[in-house]
Amino acid sequence: LGLTHVPGIELAGRLAAIAPAGLTRVFYSDSGATAVEVALKLAVQYWQLVGGASRTLFARLEESYHGDTVGAMSVGDSALFHHFHRDLLFPTLAVKPPYAYQREQGLNEDKAMERSVEEARKTIGQEKDRLAAFIMEPVMQGAAGMWPQPVGYVKAIRDICKDNGVLFIADEVATGFGHTGRMWACEHD
């Protein structure tokens, strides 16, 4: 609402200074779910402002978890947490993460990553004119059962998004701020 205070301004400056290149703004939120809601809203608003009002669809990883508000549940895929609320959720596109290919099909990490990246490339490419953004938890899908992502996977997804003009949202609520050994999880890639 345009209100702030000196410590908030100073912290925002310090966070922006250590954020990955190109990230220069800070939005404070009271929870991970509301941070995700704001990211979704910003993605849709961005497309409306640049003439892409039809771009309201989101892509996500299977078995992802982004919070318990309606938008966050919509871009998540956690039956354990959200099965009673399915009728409230908006449609999204799902991409199988590498670990799911390892678990379900017995593929090694390299083949699983290759398969997941190819699926993402196809899904995003086919729907690029409708997609507002792709959202994912970088490095580790926590609520799915601590599913690790191979080094290079986050970058591959981000590059596919960039190549197709789709925004990329890294939900680092559980994986950022040093939880994975680096300040930002996306720094691993």
Side-chain angles (χ1 to χ4, degrees):
L1 300 175
L3 303 174
T4 191
H5 49 79
V6 173
I9 293 168
E10 291 173 351
L11 178 59
R14 290 174 68 190
L15 288 170
I18 62 172
L23 301 179
T24 60
R25 301 284 194 269
V26 173
F27 181 91
Y28 292 113
S29 182
D30 63 342
S31 74
T34 56
V36 168
E37 293 286 339
V38 169
L40 300 177
K41 288 170 57 178
L42 285 172
V44 169
Q45 184 175 343
Y46 169 82
W47 288 114
Q48 288 179 356
L49 291 172
V50 299
S54 64
R55 295 179 76 158
T56 58
L57 183 63
F58 290 89
R60 59 169 175 79
L61 294 178
E62 287 182 6
E63 299 294 325
S64 58
Y65 177 83
H66 298 288
D68 292 323
T69 56
V70 173
M73 287 190 299
S74 295
V75 294
D77 183 27
S78 181
L80 175 66
F81 295 108
H82 305 138
H83 66 278
F84 291 112
H85 310 103
R86 289 277 176 221
D87 292 342
L88 297 174
L89 310 182
F90 56 77
T92 59
L93 296 177
V95 171
K96 191 180 295 288
Y99 189 78
Y101 280 111
Q102 288 176 272
R103 183 185 58 136
E104 295 168 10
Q105 298 179 11
L107 299 178
N108 68 33
E109 186 177 90
D110 291 339
K111 288 289 185 191
M113 180 168 154
E114 184 180 307
R115 179 90 41 98
S116 180
V117 168
E118 188 52 42
E119 180 184 345
R121 184 175 285 111
K122 180 180 176 185
T123 300
I124 292 169
Q126 288 175 339
E127 298 295 341
K128 65 184 179 185
D129 294 331
R130 296 178 46 215
L131 279 171
F134 188 104
I135 184 170
M136 70 181 293
E137 304 158 272
V139 178
M140 182 72 65
Q141 285 185 251
M146 303 310 283
W147 289 3
Q149 297 162 353
V151 173
Y153 184 67
V154 176
K155 182 181 184 317
I157 297 298
R158 183 203 165 269
D159 289 349
I160 292 167
C161 288
K162 186 175 181 179
D163 292 346
N164 285 281
V166 174
L167 300 176
F168 177 76
I169 300 170
D171 175 359
E172 296 205 15
V173 171
T175 60
F177 285 88
H179 289 125
T180 60
R182 301 221 175 150
M183 183 61 176
W184 313 106
C186 62
E187 289 178 320
H188 290 280
D189 281 355

PDB file of all heavy atoms in Angstrom, residues 48-65:
ATOM      1  N   GLN A  48      -1.352  -9.211 -18.980  1.00  0.00           N
ATOM      2  CA  GLN A  48      -2.406  -8.255 -19.333  1.00  0.00           C
ATOM      3  C   GLN A  48      -1.810  -6.911 -19.738  1.00  0.00           C
ATOM      4  O   GLN A  48      -2.287  -6.271 -20.668  1.00  0.00           O
ATOM      5  CB  GLN A  48      -3.377  -8.089 -18.167  1.00  0.00           C
ATOM      6  CG  GLN A  48      -4.250  -9.299 -17.962  1.00  0.00           C
ATOM      7  CD  GLN A  48      -5.198  -9.160 -16.796  1.00  0.00           C
ATOM      8  OE1 GLN A  48      -5.172  -8.174 -16.059  1.00  0.00           O
ATOM      9  NE2 GLN A  48      -6.040 -10.152 -16.609  1.00  0.00           N
ATOM     10  N   LEU A  49      -0.769  -6.492 -19.055  1.00  0.00           N
ATOM     11  CA  LEU A  49      -0.146  -5.194 -19.331  1.00  0.00           C
ATOM     12  C   LEU A  49       0.633  -5.180 -20.642  1.00  0.00           C
ATOM     13  O   LEU A  49       0.813  -4.110 -21.242  1.00  0.00           O
ATOM     14  CB  LEU A  49       0.773  -4.785 -18.181  1.00  0.00           C
ATOM     15  CG  LEU A  49       0.061  -4.437 -16.880  1.00  0.00           C
ATOM     16  CD1 LEU A  49       1.069  -4.246 -15.751  1.00  0.00           C
ATOM     17  CD2 LEU A  49      -0.809  -3.197 -17.053  1.00  0.00           C
ATOM     18  N   VAL A  50       1.101  -6.337 -21.101  1.00  0.00           N
ATOM     19  CA  VAL A  50       1.881  -6.366 -22.345  1.00  0.00           C
ATOM     20  C   VAL A  50       1.096  -6.952 -23.520  1.00  0.00           C
ATOM     21  O   VAL A  50       1.687  -7.294 -24.552  1.00  0.00           O
ATOM     22  CB  VAL A  50       3.231  -7.105 -22.160  1.00  0.00           C
ATOM     23  CG1 VAL A  50       4.096  -6.412 -21.124  1.00  0.00           C
ATOM     24  CG2 VAL A  50       3.026  -8.574 -21.832  1.00  0.00           C
ATOM     25  N   GLY A  51      -0.208  -7.073 -23.364  1.00  0.00           N
ATOM     26  CA  GLY A  51      -1.042  -7.513 -24.478  1.00  0.00           C
ATOM     27  C   GLY A  51      -1.241  -9.007 -24.600  1.00  0.00           C
ATOM     28  O   GLY A  51      -1.601  -9.491 -25.670  1.00  0.00           O
ATOM     29  N   GLY A  52      -1.035  -9.736 -23.530  1.00  0.00           N
ATOM     30  CA  GLY A  52      -1.230 -11.187 -23.574  1.00  0.00           C
ATOM     31  C   GLY A  52      -2.306 -11.635 -22.599  1.00  0.00           C
ATOM     32  O   GLY A  52      -2.095 -12.584 -21.843  1.00  0.00           O
ATOM     33  N   ALA A  53      -3.444 -10.961 -22.620  1.00  0.00           N
ATOM     34  CA  ALA A  53      -4.502 -11.216 -21.637  1.00  0.00           C
ATOM     35  C   ALA A  53      -4.998 -12.657 -21.629  1.00  0.00           C
ATOM     36  O   ALA A  53      -5.532 -13.131 -20.624  1.00  0.00           O
ATOM     37  CB  ALA A  53      -5.678 -10.266 -21.861  1.00  0.00           C
ATOM     38  N   SER A  54      -4.801 -13.396 -22.719  1.00  0.00           N
ATOM     39  CA  SER A  54      -5.265 -14.793 -22.764  1.00  0.00           C
ATOM     40  C   SER A  54      -4.293 -15.738 -22.049  1.00  0.00           C
ATOM     41  O   SER A  54      -4.577 -16.923 -21.892  1.00  0.00           O
ATOM     42  CB  SER A  54      -5.435 -15.239 -24.213  1.00  0.00           C
ATOM     43  OG  SER A  54      -4.184 -15.220 -24.875  1.00  0.00           O
ATOM     44  N   ARG A  55      -3.165 -15.229 -21.592  1.00  0.00           N
ATOM     45  CA  ARG A  55      -2.146 -16.079 -20.953  1.00  0.00           C
ATOM     46  C   ARG A  55      -2.422 -16.166 -19.447  1.00  0.00           C
ATOM     47  O   ARG A  55      -1.848 -15.441 -18.646  1.00  0.00           O
ATOM     48  CB  ARG A  55      -0.755 -15.538 -21.254  1.00  0.00           C
ATOM     49  CG  ARG A  55      -0.458 -15.628 -22.760  1.00  0.00           C
ATOM     50  CD  ARG A  55       0.873 -15.101 -23.110  1.00  0.00           C
ATOM     51  NE  ARG A  55       1.901 -16.062 -22.721  1.00  0.00           N
ATOM     52  CZ  ARG A  55       3.098 -16.099 -23.243  1.00  0.00           C
ATOM     53  NH1 ARG A  55       3.448 -15.234 -24.171  1.00  0.00           N
ATOM     54  NH2 ARG A  55       3.982 -16.985 -22.830  1.00  0.00           N
ATOM     55  N   THR A  56      -3.289 -17.084 -19.092  1.00  0.00           N
ATOM     56  CA  THR A  56      -3.684 -17.256 -17.686  1.00  0.00           C
ATOM     57  C   THR A  56      -3.453 -18.677 -17.180  1.00  0.00           C
ATOM     58  O   THR A  56      -3.779 -18.982 -16.039  1.00  0.00           O
ATOM     59  CB  THR A  56      -5.170 -16.905 -17.502  1.00  0.00           C
ATOM     60  OG1 THR A  56      -5.955 -17.742 -18.350  1.00  0.00           O
ATOM     61  CG2 THR A  56      -5.442 -15.435 -17.825  1.00  0.00           C
ATOM     62  N   LEU A  57      -2.892 -19.519 -17.999  1.00  0.00           N
ATOM     63  CA  LEU A  57      -2.657 -20.918 -17.639  1.00  0.00           C
ATOM     64  C   LEU A  57      -1.280 -21.047 -16.974  1.00  0.00           C
ATOM     65  O   LEU A  57      -0.342 -20.332 -17.329  1.00  0.00           O
ATOM     66  CB  LEU A  57      -2.705 -21.778 -18.900  1.00  0.00           C
ATOM     67  CG  LEU A  57      -2.562 -23.288 -18.758  1.00  0.00           C
ATOM     68  CD1 LEU A  57      -3.712 -23.870 -17.940  1.00  0.00           C
ATOM     69  CD2 LEU A  57      -2.504 -23.932 -20.145  1.00  0.00           C
ATOM     70  N   PHE A  58      -1.179 -21.956 -16.007  1.00  0.00           N
ATOM     71  CA  PHE A  58       0.086 -22.204 -15.327  1.00  0.00           C
ATOM     72  C   PHE A  58       0.506 -23.657 -15.524  1.00  0.00           C
ATOM     73  O   PHE A  58      -0.330 -24.551 -15.548  1.00  0.00           O
ATOM     74  CB  PHE A  58      -0.034 -21.906 -13.831  1.00  0.00           C
ATOM     75  CG  PHE A  58      -0.174 -20.443 -13.546  1.00  0.00           C
ATOM     76  CD1 PHE A  58      -1.423 -19.849 -13.499  1.00  0.00           C
ATOM     77  CD2 PHE A  58       0.948 -19.646 -13.361  1.00  0.00           C
ATOM     78  CE1 PHE A  58      -1.559 -18.492 -13.271  1.00  0.00           C
ATOM     79  CE2 PHE A  58       0.825 -18.293 -13.125  1.00  0.00           C
ATOM     80  CZ  PHE A  58      -0.426 -17.706 -13.075  1.00  0.00           C
ATOM     81  N   ALA A  59       1.807 -23.858 -15.631  1.00  0.00           N
ATOM     82  CA  ALA A  59       2.373 -25.201 -15.672  1.00  0.00           C
ATOM     83  C   ALA A  59       3.114 -25.432 -14.359  1.00  0.00           C
ATOM     84  O   ALA A  59       3.571 -24.482 -13.713  1.00  0.00           O
ATOM     85  CB  ALA A  59       3.322 -25.352 -16.852  1.00  0.00           C
ATOM     86  N   ARG A  60       3.210 -26.702 -13.970  1.00  0.00           N
ATOM     87  CA  ARG A  60       3.798 -27.067 -12.677  1.00  0.00           C
ATOM     88  C   ARG A  60       4.328 -28.481 -12.756  1.00  0.00           C
ATOM     89  O   ARG A  60       4.080 -29.197 -13.731  1.00  0.00           O
ATOM     90  CB  ARG A  60       2.734 -26.997 -11.607  1.00  0.00           C
ATOM     91  CG  ARG A  60       1.562 -27.949 -11.955  1.00  0.00           C
ATOM     92  CD  ARG A  60       0.583 -28.151 -10.857  1.00  0.00           C
ATOM     93  NE  ARG A  60      -0.544 -28.945 -11.278  1.00  0.00           N
ATOM     94  CZ  ARG A  60      -0.541 -30.258 -11.402  1.00  0.00           C
ATOM     95  NH1 ARG A  60       0.546 -30.955 -11.160  1.00  0.00           N
ATOM     96  NH2 ARG A  60      -1.627 -30.908 -11.767  1.00  0.00           N
ATOM     97  N   LEU A  61       5.034 -28.887 -11.725  1.00  0.00           N
ATOM     98  CA  LEU A  61       5.502 -30.265 -11.631  1.00  0.00           C
ATOM     99  C   LEU A  61       4.450 -31.124 -10.948  1.00  0.00           C
ATOM    100  O   LEU A  61       3.745 -30.658 -10.039  1.00  0.00           O
ATOM    101  CB  LEU A  61       6.796 -30.339 -10.823  1.00  0.00           C
ATOM    102  CG  LEU A  61       8.010 -29.666 -11.446  1.00  0.00           C
ATOM    103  CD1 LEU A  61       9.197 -29.769 -10.503  1.00  0.00           C
ATOM    104  CD2 LEU A  61       8.337 -30.254 -12.806  1.00  0.00           C
ATOM    105  N   GLU A  62       4.333 -32.380 -11.372  1.00  0.00           N
ATOM    106  CA  GLU A  62       3.486 -33.329 -10.659  1.00  0.00           C
ATOM    107  C   GLU A  62       3.974 -33.442  -9.219  1.00  0.00           C
ATOM    108  O   GLU A  62       5.176 -33.338  -8.961  1.00  0.00           O
ATOM    109  CB  GLU A  62       3.552 -34.713 -11.316  1.00  0.00           C
ATOM    110  CG  GLU A  62       2.827 -34.819 -12.617  1.00  0.00           C
ATOM    111  CD  GLU A  62       2.886 -36.233 -13.180  1.00  0.00           C
ATOM    112  OE1 GLU A  62       3.389 -37.158 -12.510  1.00  0.00           O
ATOM    113  OE2 GLU A  62       2.428 -36.406 -14.323  1.00  0.00           O
ATOM    114  N   GLU A  63       3.060 -33.681  -8.326  1.00  0.00           N
ATOM    115  CA  GLU A  63       3.359 -33.877  -6.905  1.00  0.00           C
ATOM    116  C   GLU A  63       3.981 -32.653  -6.234  1.00  0.00           C
ATOM    117  O   GLU A  63       4.653 -32.763  -5.221  1.00  0.00           O
ATOM    118  CB  GLU A  63       4.264 -35.096  -6.690  1.00  0.00           C
ATOM    119  CG  GLU A  63       3.667 -36.398  -7.143  1.00  0.00           C
ATOM    120  CD  GLU A  63       2.453 -36.827  -6.322  1.00  0.00           C
ATOM    121  OE1 GLU A  63       2.413 -36.576  -5.107  1.00  0.00           O
ATOM    122  OE2 GLU A  63       1.542 -37.426  -6.918  1.00  0.00           O
ATOM    123  N   SER A  64       3.744 -31.483  -6.805  1.00  0.00           N
ATOM    124  CA  SER A  64       4.296 -30.268  -6.207  1.00  0.00           C
ATOM    125  C   SER A  64       3.391 -29.761  -5.090  1.00  0.00           C
ATOM    126  O   SER A  64       2.225 -30.131  -4.992  1.00  0.00           O
ATOM    127  CB  SER A  64       4.474 -29.191  -7.280  1.00  0.00           C
ATOM    128  OG  SER A  64       3.244 -28.899  -7.908  1.00  0.00           O
ATOM    129  N   TYR A  65       3.963 -28.925  -4.263  1.00  0.00           N
ATOM    130  CA  TYR A  65       3.215 -28.304  -3.170  1.00  0.00           C
ATOM    131  C   TYR A  65       3.657 -26.850  -3.084  1.00  0.00           C
ATOM    132  O   TYR A  65       4.860 -26.569  -2.982  1.00  0.00           O
ATOM    133  CB  TYR A  65       3.503 -29.009  -1.841  1.00  0.00           C
ATOM    134  CG  TYR A  65       2.795 -28.354  -0.674  1.00  0.00           C
ATOM    135  CD1 TYR A  65       1.470 -28.659  -0.392  1.00  0.00           C
ATOM    136  CD2 TYR A  65       3.450 -27.409   0.113  1.00  0.00           C
ATOM    137  CE1 TYR A  65       0.813 -28.043   0.666  1.00  0.00           C
ATOM    138  CE2 TYR A  65       2.794 -26.794   1.167  1.00  0.00           C
ATOM    139  CZ  TYR A  65       1.477 -27.112   1.437  1.00  0.00           C
ATOM    140  OH  TYR A  65       0.826 -26.499   2.477  1.00  0.00           O
TER     141      TYR A  65
END
